[in-house]
Amino acid sequence: MEQKTVTLLIKCPDREGIIATLTGFFYKEGFNIISLQQYTNVREKKFFMRICLTTKQQITIGLEEKFDKLSKSFDIEWKIDYGDKKQKVAIMVSHTNHNLYDLLSKYKEGILPCEVVMVVSNHEKLRPVAEMFGIPYYYAPVNKETRNQQEAELKDLFDKNEIDLIVMARYMQILTSDFISHYPYRIINIHHSFLPAFQGANPYMRAYERGVKLIGATAHYATQDLDEGPIIEQDVERVTHESTVSTLKSIGADIETMVLSRAVKFHLNNQIIVDGNKTIVFPET
Amino acid sequence: MEQKTVTLLIKCPDREGIIATLTGFFYKEGFNIISLQQYTNVREKKFFMRICLTTKQQITIGLEEKFDKLSKSFDIEWKIDYGDKKQKVAIMVSHTNHNLYDLLSKYKEGILPCEVVMVVSNHEKLRPVAEMFGIPYYYAPVNKETRNQQEAELKDLFDKNEIDLIVMARYMQILTSDFISHYPYRIINIHHSFLPAFQGANPYMRAYERGVKLIGATAHYATQDLDEGPIIEQDVERVTHESTVSTLKSIGADIETMVLSRAVKFHLNNQIIVDGNKTIVFPET
Amino acid sequence: MEQKTVTLLIKCPDREGIIATLTGFFYKEGFNIISLQQYTNVREKKFFMRICLTTKQQITIGLEEKFDKLSKSFDIEWKIDYGDKKQKVAIMVSHTNHNLYDLLSKYKEGILPCEVVMVVSNHEKLRPVAEMFGIPYYYAPVNKETRNQQEAELKDLFDKNEIDLIVMARYMQILTSDFISHYPYRIINIHHSFLPAFQGANPYMRAYERGVKLIGATAHYATQDLDEGPIIEQDVERVTHESTVSTLKSIGADIETMVLSRAVKFHLNNQIIVDGNKTIVFPET
Amino acid sequence: MEQKTVTLLIKCPDREGIIATLTGFFYKEGFNIISLQQYTNVREKKFFMRICLTTKQQITIGLEEKFDKLSKSFDIEWKIDYGDKKQKVAIMVSHTNHNLYDLLSKYKEGILPCEVVMVVSNHEKLRPVAEMFGIPYYYAPVNKETRNQQEAELKDLFDKNEIDLIVMARYMQILTSDFISHYPYRIINIHHSFLPAFQGANPYMRAYERGVKLIGATAHYATQDLDEGPIIEQDVERVTHESTVSTLKSIGADIETMVLSRAVKFHLNNQIIVDGNKTIVFPET
């Protein structure tokens, strides 16, 4: 008990002996491997690993240095989380509140292992929701002319607060490439359709018009290509010819909340490795 | 017992009194309404009804004439099925056999209330499957040059055999507009993706490349716009980063069989009304 | 516009002409039928109908009297909602808060067409949640000895406030038969398993021990037989061998919120007819 | 290319260094680990691993001997599959044929990596299905008096044919404990309900009577406790109040085929480790 749990995410070209070498390294360094999840993309000869380690002593000192040496000879990209501080999260919203209620209540309950530092919006509308939960609310109105200025202010705000993860919980503005590239794979967006169907605006209206029999939602990392970033999680629900656009929105709201909160949890738990435009999502351990 | 069940599908502009008028008409004509399913599209002021009637005497004589008169004053489009003869079905295939096995075994079991008259293919490969089930198999090879000729022969074949419904059970050729318009809403196609995502060729490969977390299949009426006809049924299944293209195909095969056989059953049971590019699919009664 | 929408739920033995008679009656009385949903249980010769009517004038006066006469000759049980006042709802909780957050946020958003009058609990724990939303919170502690006394007080409280519907949103006490029979089909309970599997206590622990591959939740009307009342709605989610009891609870929480809020909405929209120990749930119109 | 793939399933008490030791062992023995899947049950301090290895030379000689030594010091139970011969499968059926069609067509397509050696039934009814696929059919009628005699004959038949796996594809007889214990975790049964709901006879009728809103199917290893063996796979489908018992059976048939064929595939691919009355099912690699 009172052990530290260290999580490593590893990505490298596949080669013989990689698992034995890695596990041997940590064993010799005095760690106990409490879980190891591995995926080899045989087609593309790539190797991915998530490894959770514990250690009784304070022997993590120098670990990075030693591992860095190993990692160079195997061409490994890696990311380490010492589990000693919670990620700081900013939630961005516009008008709709179902994702915000869900994220904040799950945060309050300890289901999302993070610190929600602020809610930011281009409207005043959801201030009461943030305040109900005691979370600071920043009003950051924006239009075409002021976009660069607003984003500059948001960057300042986020950087000053050391924000690790930005969650776009139905923030209905398109962020600039410049802003997005400042937070690589650190912005999660919820799109209210089953991507790649109905990219872009008004997906529920378009789903209604196309007469689909299931609707969905998709959580993905925001990249410079709108709605085309790596997909983290998706889900769908059955609808019928009787479903109006308003019914679709109401059914969709429940899918959006589930999908977004799962994706945020996967990210906070270090379950995700991004590979090109795809994600490896290891199961919770 | 030994009553006839007559099914009517009705479509018209919505107006006051339409349900009372229609139900009153059939009551006065001596029918018992055993089920009535109705859907009003309030937004577009359209009315749709599926009504199943029984009668003890042979009083269906003259029904159409009388109803036609009524229908004119309400601007009704209608379709009647006296339930006295099974629809004749032709199944078109190419290489993959899972839909064919499924449709033929369900047909043999009496789950699909129709007569499967023939299997047609542009390859010889699936002849043994059709023959296992004792269904005639027509080999109709085709290439760009011979397309019109082949389709002309198919039309002859289908018309001579009084085919009511053509089921494209992974027939991997694009039919011409001319051929399709000869069988309006009488050709059901299975597309191996969750439309409108991944229209066109190689949907499983593209799903793999996009990194989606669910894959699906869609049964729809074939129209002149490829993969854009009215959707009848869709379903999805969860996949992961570990799913190879081959795994996607294998998981997808089960979705395709379920979705296509459901759609064919809906059609044969007169549960579907087409409205523009959408379908109203009434539940089974 | 500004028309009143009246909803009738009807249950009677099936007989010839019933639909025509009913629809004719309302037509003659000057109503427009905006939707009619009907289900005939052929096996048991029972007829069920949900009918939504509008009228431009104030002609609902005397409707009940006239309909009562008709209903007697057809042995009809019926229920009418004039849509002129919102149902009053009391929510009962104990420790877990996910259903409470979900119901209150959906209520605030206008998704649940009712008036949530109070939250009642045998613990103080969730008072802050109710107060966040500005809903009065009643603390009603209970143990074996005080059960009858506590329920008597609750009955007073509910009756004084004219409560129409009691929602047990993970209230972890067993209500007495006496209390339940005071609110026939007016108490909705969420059970955290896929009934009839894992009736009774600790369903997630038992699901873990049994090694099921899906877990679920069930919303049902409370009756004198614990967890055996008419089921309104159920749903499930996939789990794996890696799911701990705690993971099951967390996945289950999302299922519980969706299932309970759907069931409450069905009830408030008059979509449900109870038939013996089963429910007919008509789709939303 | 032309490498052998060896699969090991490992189960032992959890202890420090186990992963490093195991992977190190195989590395030193000249194997390449192509996939490693591991699950630690922290609560019960148990460790499970599935490891797929390739080697270029014929160095598997002596492997078992060496590994046995290692395994003793770690208290490991293990099972090895050299991937050099297909498992031999017997399918047992009674009246219903959907599982049989599905299994045999998937077998013919190479989706089930095994050799289906025979179909056995207590009725003659499904002989034509087996014969369509060219599989020998054994008619083994049974009643209370002849049960022991019939099972003795089946045991002879299976043992003579070196049957590895028995698939009860809706075989509607209860096998004796004696018979079952002869094939530990080598008999897979499909039960037509979502276990533990509706154990025993007539699950669809009981689901209808209980008014459930989803029905399901469960594939499990047969043990001496009827319908209580380790669950391998489950799935469900939505139903409504309109679903008759016959509709439930028809919807259920599709679930049963998917669930059983997945479970059989998991078994044949060595994806399953049984732990007490539960299964660890590793994803396909």
Side-chain angles (χ1 to χ4, degrees):
Chain A
M1 25 243 80
E2 276 316 315
Q3 297 185 338
K4 285 173 73 169
T5 298
V6 180
T7 306
L8 262 110
L9 296 177
I10 286 168
K11 174 162 75 168
C12 63
D14 190 29
R15 58 187 264 187
E16 286 195 22
I18 181 79
I19 297 176
T21 304
L22 288 167
T23 54
F25 171 84
F26 292 109
Y27 184 57
K28 280 171 215 142
E29 294 295 327
F31 289 92
N32 187 26
I33 298 170
I34 56 168
S35 81
L36 180 156
Q37 295 165 292
Q38 165 269 332
Y39 162 60
T40 306
N41 187 323
V42 176
R43 184 193 188 93
E44 302 172 17
K45 296 195 195 319
K46 288 178 188 172
F47 177 83
F48 305 88
M49 186 185 271
R50 177 179 186 262
I51 189 160
C52 296
L53 309 160
T54 53
T55 175
K56 278 164 195 153
Q57 307 101 287
Q58 248 312 20
I59 57 168
T60 56
I61 299 156
L63 172 67
E64 293 198 33
E65 207 173 309
K66 282 179 202 160
F67 190 67
D68 203 49
K69 216 172 124 190
L70 178 73
S71 73
K72 266 173 192 136
S73 64
F74 281 85
D75 210 3
I76 292 173
E77 289 175 57
W78 55 287
K79 215 176 107 180
I80 196 160
D81 183 344
Y82 289 98
D84 48 4
K85 65 189 214 27
K86 288 186 171 173
Q87 291 193 44
K88 293 188 177 179
V89 172
I91 301 176
M92 299 183 73
V93 295
S94 290
H95 294 288
T96 59
N97 64 21
H98 48 270
N99 283 299
L100 185 60
Y101 270 120
D102 182 67
L103 291 170
L104 293 183
S105 60
K106 282 182 174 145
Y107 164 58
K108 279 282 171 197
E109 276 315 283
I111 292 166
L112 296 178
C114 64
E115 185 188 346
V116 176
V117 176
M118 63 180 74
V119 174
V120 175
S121 179
N122 56 328
H123 293 280
E124 277 288 12
K125 188 179 167 198
L126 301 187
R127 182 181 292 277
V129 179
E131 290 182 346
M132 271 171 66
F133 288 88
I135 311 289
Y137 188 86
Y138 292 88
Y139 172 47
V142 67
N143 60 38
K144 265 184 198 162
E145 283 69 40
T146 62
R147 184 166 316 277
N148 287 334
Q149 175 59 23
Q150 186 235 27
E151 289 191 354
E153 285 164 19
L154 290 182
K155 261 195 265 187
D156 275 0
L157 183 65
F158 292 163
D159 292 353
K160 211 172 54 193
N161 284 276
E162 299 178 315
I163 294 300
D164 296 296
L165 177 68
I166 299 162
V167 179
M168 296 172 69
R170 297 292 306 272
Y171 179 68
M172 303 308 279
Q173 295 289 318
I174 297 173
L175 299 169
T176 63
S177 293
D178 192 56
F179 184 88
I180 288 170
S181 60
H182 196 64
Y183 304 98
Y185 307 123
R186 289 168 51 204
I187 305 175
I188 295 178
N189 182 44
I190 181 76
H191 185 72
H192 39 315
S193 82
F194 181 79
L195 288 176
F198 308 123
Q199 285 185 218
N202 295 321
Y204 290 126
M205 174 58 82
R206 287 152 66 205
Y208 171 81
E209 283 167 354
R210 182 62 188 90
V212 291
K213 299 301 183 187
L214 298 163
I215 57 165
T218 304
H220 63 95
Y221 286 114
T223 59
Q224 305 183 11
D225 301 306
L226 185 67
D227 298 337
E228 300 207 342
I231 292 170
I232 302 169
E233 174 65 343
Q234 304 188 285
D235 216 334
V236 297
E237 195 68 47
R238 194 162 280 277
V239 297
T240 75
H241 60 268
E242 302 202 84
S243 308
T244 60
V245 177
S246 151
T247 314
L248 297 186
K249 282 180 184 171
S250 162
I251 293 171
D254 276 342
I255 315 175
E256 292 167 38
T257 56
M258 282 203 310
V259 165
L260 181 58
S261 70
R262 281 185 210 149
V264 170
K265 205 175 165 190
F266 294 159
H267 181 94
L268 296 173
N269 284 341
N270 299 301
Q271 294 172 245
I272 308 176
I273 300 178
V274 175
D275 174 40
N277 204 40
K278 300 166 77 168
T279 60
I280 285 89
V281 181
F282 291 109
E284 191 180 352
T285 49
Chain B
M1 26 243 81
E2 277 313 317
Q3 297 183 339
K4 283 174 77 169
T5 297
V6 180
T7 305
L8 261 110
L9 296 177
I10 286 167
K11 175 161 75 171
C12 64
D14 189 30
R15 57 187 265 188
E16 286 195 22
I18 181 80
I19 296 175
T21 304
L22 288 167
T23 55
F25 172 83
F26 293 108
Y27 184 58
K28 278 171 215 143
E29 294 295 326
F31 289 93
N32 185 28
I33 297 170
I34 56 166
S35 81
L36 180 155
Q37 296 163 292
Q38 165 267 331
Y39 162 60
T40 306
N41 188 322
V42 175
R43 182 191 187 95
E44 304 172 16
K45 296 194 196 316
K46 289 178 187 171
F47 177 84
F48 305 87
M49 186 184 270
R50 177 179 186 262
I51 190 161
C52 296
L53 309 159
T54 53
T55 176
K56 278 167 194 148
Q57 307 102 288
Q58 247 312 17
I59 58 169
T60 55
I61 298 156
L63 171 66
E64 292 197 34
E65 207 172 309
K66 282 180 201 160
F67 188 69
D68 203 49
K69 218 172 125 188
L70 178 73
S71 72
K72 269 176 189 131
S73 65
F74 281 84
D75 209 4
I76 292 173
E77 289 175 59
W78 56 288
K79 215 176 109 180
I80 196 160
D81 182 345
Y82 290 99
D84 48 4
K85 66 188 211 33
K86 288 186 171 171
Q87 291 193 43
K88 292 187 177 179
V89 173
I91 300 176
M92 297 182 74
V93 294
S94 291
H95 294 288
T96 60
N97 64 22
H98 49 269
N99 283 300
L100 185 60
Y101 270 119
D102 182 66
L103 291 170
L104 293 184
S105 59
K106 282 183 173 145
Y107 164 58
K108 279 281 171 195
E109 278 315 282
I111 291 166
L112 297 178
C114 65
E115 185 187 347
V116 176
V117 176
M118 64 179 74
V119 173
V120 174
S121 178
N122 57 329
H123 294 280
E124 277 288 12
K125 188 179 165 199
L126 301 187
R127 181 182 293 277
V129 179
E131 290 183 346
M132 272 171 63
F133 288 87
I135 311 290
Y137 189 85
Y138 292 88
Y139 172 47
V142 67
N143 59 39
K144 266 184 197 165
E145 282 69 42
T146 62
R147 183 165 318 276
N148 288 335
Q149 175 59 22
Q150 185 236 29
E151 288 191 353
E153 285 165 18
L154 290 183
K155 262 195 264 188
D156 274 2
L157 182 67
F158 292 163
D159 292 354
K160 210 172 57 193
N161 283 277
E162 297 177 318
I163 295 300
D164 296 294
L165 176 68
I166 298 162
V167 179
M168 294 171 71
R170 297 294 305 273
Y171 179 67
M172 302 307 281
Q173 294 290 317
I174 297 172
L175 299 169
T176 64
S177 292
D178 192 58
F179 183 89
I180 288 170
S181 61
H182 195 65
Y183 303 98
Y185 307 122
R186 287 168 53 204
I187 305 176
I188 295 178
N189 183 44
I190 181 75
H191 184 73
H192 39 315
S193 82
F194 181 79
L195 289 176
F198 308 122
Q199 284 186 218
N202 294 323
Y204 289 126
M205 173 58 82
R206 287 152 66 205
Y208 171 81
E209 283 167 354
R210 182 64 187 90
V212 292
K213 300 300 185 187
L214 297 163
I215 58 165
T218 304
H220 64 95
Y221 286 114
T223 60
Q224 304 183 12
D225 302 305
L226 184 67
D227 299 336
E228 300 205 343
I231 292 170
I232 302 169
E233 174 67 343
Q234 303 188 287
D235 216 333
V236 297
E237 195 69 47
R238 195 162 279 277
V239 296
T240 74
H241 59 269
E242 303 203 84
S243 308
T244 60
V245 177
S246 151
T247 314
L248 297 185
K249 283 181 184 170
S250 162
I251 293 170
D254 275 343
I255 315 174
E256 293 167 37
T257 56
M258 282 203 310
V259 165
L260 181 58
S261 70
R262 283 185 208 147
V264 169
K265 204 174 165 189
F266 295 159
H267 182 95
L268 295 173
N269 284 341
N270 299 300
Q271 293 173 246
I272 308 175
I273 300 178
V274 175
D275 174 40
N277 204 41
K278 299 165 77 167
T279 60
I280 286 89
V281 181
F282 292 110
E284 191 181 353
T285 50
Chain C
M1 25 243 83
E2 277 313 315
Q3 297 185 341
K4 286 174 73 168
T5 297
V6 180
T7 305
L8 262 110
L9 296 177
I10 286 168
K11 174 162 76 170
C12 64
D14 189 30
R15 58 186 264 188
E16 287 195 21
I18 180 80
I19 296 176
T21 304
L22 288 167
T23 54
F25 171 84
F26 293 108
Y27 183 57
K28 278 170 215 143
E29 294 295 327
F31 289 92
N32 185 28
I33 298 170
I34 55 166
S35 80
L36 180 157
Q37 296 164 290
Q38 165 268 331
Y39 161 61
T40 306
N41 188 323
V42 175
R43 183 192 187 96
E44 302 172 19
K45 296 194 195 316
K46 290 177 186 171
F47 177 85
F48 305 88
M49 185 183 271
R50 178 178 185 262
I51 189 161
C52 296
L53 309 159
T54 54
T55 175
K56 278 165 196 150
Q57 305 102 287
Q58 248 311 19
I59 58 170
T60 54
I61 300 157
L63 172 66
E64 292 197 33
E65 206 172 311
K66 282 180 200 160
F67 189 69
D68 203 48
K69 217 172 124 189
L70 178 72
S71 73
K72 266 172 193 137
S73 65
F74 281 85
D75 209 3
I76 291 173
E77 289 175 59
W78 55 287
K79 216 176 107 178
I80 195 160
D81 183 344
Y82 290 100
D84 48 4
K85 65 187 212 34
K86 288 184 172 174
Q87 291 193 44
K88 293 187 177 179
V89 172
I91 300 176
M92 298 183 74
V93 294
S94 291
H95 294 288
T96 60
N97 64 22
H98 48 270
N99 283 299
L100 185 60
Y101 271 121
D102 182 66
L103 291 170
L104 292 184
S105 59
K106 282 183 173 144
Y107 164 58
K108 279 281 170 195
E109 276 315 283
I111 291 166
L112 296 178
C114 64
E115 185 187 346
V116 176
V117 175
M118 64 180 74
V119 174
V120 175
S121 179
N122 56 329
H123 294 280
E124 277 288 12
K125 189 179 164 198
L126 301 187
R127 182 182 292 277
V129 179
E131 291 181 347
M132 272 171 64
F133 288 88
I135 310 290
Y137 189 86
Y138 292 88
Y139 172 47
V142 66
N143 59 38
K144 266 184 197 164
E145 283 68 42
T146 62
R147 183 166 317 277
N148 288 335
Q149 175 59 21
Q150 185 235 30
E151 289 191 353
E153 285 164 19
L154 289 182
K155 261 195 266 188
D156 275 1
L157 182 67
F158 292 163
D159 291 354
K160 211 172 56 193
N161 284 277
E162 297 177 317
I163 295 300
D164 296 295
L165 176 68
I166 298 162
V167 179
M168 296 172 70
R170 298 291 307 271
Y171 180 68
M172 303 308 281
Q173 294 291 318
I174 297 172
L175 299 169
T176 64
S177 292
D178 193 56
F179 183 88
I180 288 170
S181 61
H182 196 65
Y183 304 98
Y185 307 122
R186 288 168 51 204
I187 306 176
I188 295 178
N189 182 44
I190 181 75
H191 184 73
H192 39 314
S193 81
F194 181 80
L195 289 176
F198 308 122
Q199 284 186 216
N202 294 322
Y204 290 126
M205 174 58 83
R206 287 152 66 206
Y208 171 81
E209 283 166 356
R210 183 62 187 92
V212 291
K213 300 299 185 187
L214 298 162
I215 58 165
T218 304
H220 63 95
Y221 286 114
T223 60
Q224 305 183 11
D225 301 305
L226 184 66
D227 299 335
E228 300 207 341
I231 292 170
I232 303 170
E233 174 66 342
Q234 304 187 286
D235 216 334
V236 297
E237 195 69 46
R238 194 161 281 276
V239 297
T240 75
H241 59 268
E242 302 202 83
S243 309
T244 61
V245 177
S246 152
T247 314
L248 297 185
K249 282 181 184 170
S250 163
I251 293 171
D254 276 343
I255 316 175
E256 292 167 38
T257 56
M258 283 204 310
V259 164
L260 181 58
S261 70
R262 283 185 208 148
V264 169
K265 204 174 166 190
F266 295 158
H267 182 95
L268 296 173
N269 283 341
N270 299 300
Q271 294 171 244
I272 308 175
I273 300 178
V274 175
D275 173 42
N277 205 40
K278 299 165 77 167
T279 59
I280 286 89
V281 182
F282 292 110
E284 191 180 351
T285 51
Chain D
M1 28 242 76
E2 277 315 317
Q3 297 185 338
K4 284 174 74 171
T5 297
V6 180
T7 305
L8 261 110
L9 296 176
I10 286 168
K11 176 161 74 169
C12 64
D14 189 29
R15 59 186 261 188
E16 287 195 22
I18 180 80
I19 297 176
T21 304
L22 288 166
T23 54
F25 172 84
F26 292 110
Y27 183 57
K28 279 170 215 144
E29 295 294 327
F31 290 92
N32 186 27
I33 298 170
I34 55 167
S35 81
L36 180 158
Q37 296 163 293
Q38 165 267 333
Y39 161 61
T40 306
N41 188 323
V42 176
R43 185 193 186 93
E44 303 171 17
K45 296 193 197 315
K46 288 177 189 172
F47 177 84
F48 305 89
M49 186 184 271
R50 177 179 185 261
I51 189 161
C52 296
L53 308 161
T54 53
T55 176
K56 278 165 194 150
Q57 306 101 288
Q58 248 313 18
I59 57 169
T60 55
I61 298 157
L63 172 67
E64 294 197 33
E65 206 171 310
K66 283 180 201 160
F67 189 69
D68 202 49
K69 218 172 123 189
L70 178 72
S71 73
K72 265 171 193 137
S73 63
F74 281 84
D75 211 3
I76 292 173
E77 288 176 59
W78 56 286
K79 216 176 109 179
I80 196 160
D81 183 344
Y82 290 99
D84 49 4
K85 66 188 213 28
K86 289 185 171 173
Q87 291 193 44
K88 293 187 177 179
V89 172
I91 301 175
M92 298 183 74
V93 295
S94 290
H95 294 289
T96 59
N97 64 23
H98 48 270
N99 284 300
L100 185 59
Y101 271 121
D102 183 66
L103 291 170
L104 293 183
S105 59
K106 281 182 174 145
Y107 164 57
K108 279 281 171 196
E109 277 317 283
I111 291 167
L112 296 178
C114 65
E115 186 186 348
V116 176
V117 175
M118 64 179 75
V119 173
V120 175
S121 178
N122 57 328
H123 294 281
E124 278 287 12
K125 189 179 166 200
L126 301 187
R127 181 182 291 278
V129 179
E131 290 182 346
M132 272 171 65
F133 288 87
I135 311 290
Y137 188 86
Y138 292 87
Y139 172 47
V142 67
N143 59 39
K144 265 184 199 164
E145 283 69 42
T146 62
R147 184 166 317 276
N148 288 334
Q149 174 60 20
Q150 185 236 26
E151 288 191 353
E153 285 165 18
L154 289 183
K155 261 193 266 187
D156 275 1
L157 182 65
F158 292 163
D159 292 353
K160 211 172 56 194
N161 284 276
E162 298 178 315
I163 295 300
D164 296 294
L165 176 68
I166 299 162
V167 179
M168 296 172 71
R170 298 291 309 270
Y171 179 68
M172 303 308 281
Q173 294 290 317
I174 297 173
L175 298 169
T176 64
S177 292
D178 192 56
F179 184 89
I180 288 170
S181 61
H182 196 64
Y183 303 98
Y185 307 123
R186 287 168 52 205
I187 306 176
I188 295 177
N189 183 43
I190 181 76
H191 185 71
H192 39 315
S193 82
F194 181 79
L195 289 175
F198 308 122
Q199 284 185 217
N202 294 323
Y204 290 125
M205 173 58 83
R206 288 152 65 206
Y208 171 82
E209 284 167 355
R210 182 62 187 91
V212 291
K213 300 299 185 187
L214 297 163
I215 58 165
T218 304
H220 64 95
Y221 286 113
T223 60
Q224 304 183 12
D225 301 306
L226 184 66
D227 299 335
E228 301 206 341
I231 292 170
I232 302 169
E233 174 66 344
Q234 304 189 286
D235 216 334
V236 297
E237 195 69 46
R238 195 162 279 280
V239 298
T240 75
H241 59 268
E242 303 201 86
S243 309
T244 60
V245 177
S246 151
T247 313
L248 296 185
K249 282 181 184 170
S250 161
I251 292 170
D254 276 342
I255 315 175
E256 293 167 37
T257 56
M258 282 202 311
V259 165
L260 181 58
S261 69
R262 282 185 208 147
V264 170
K265 205 175 164 189
F266 295 158
H267 181 95
L268 295 173
N269 284 340
N270 300 301
Q271 294 172 245
I272 309 175
I273 300 178
V274 174
D275 174 41
N277 205 39
K278 299 165 76 168
T279 60
I280 285 89
V281 181
F282 292 110
E284 191 180 352
T285 49

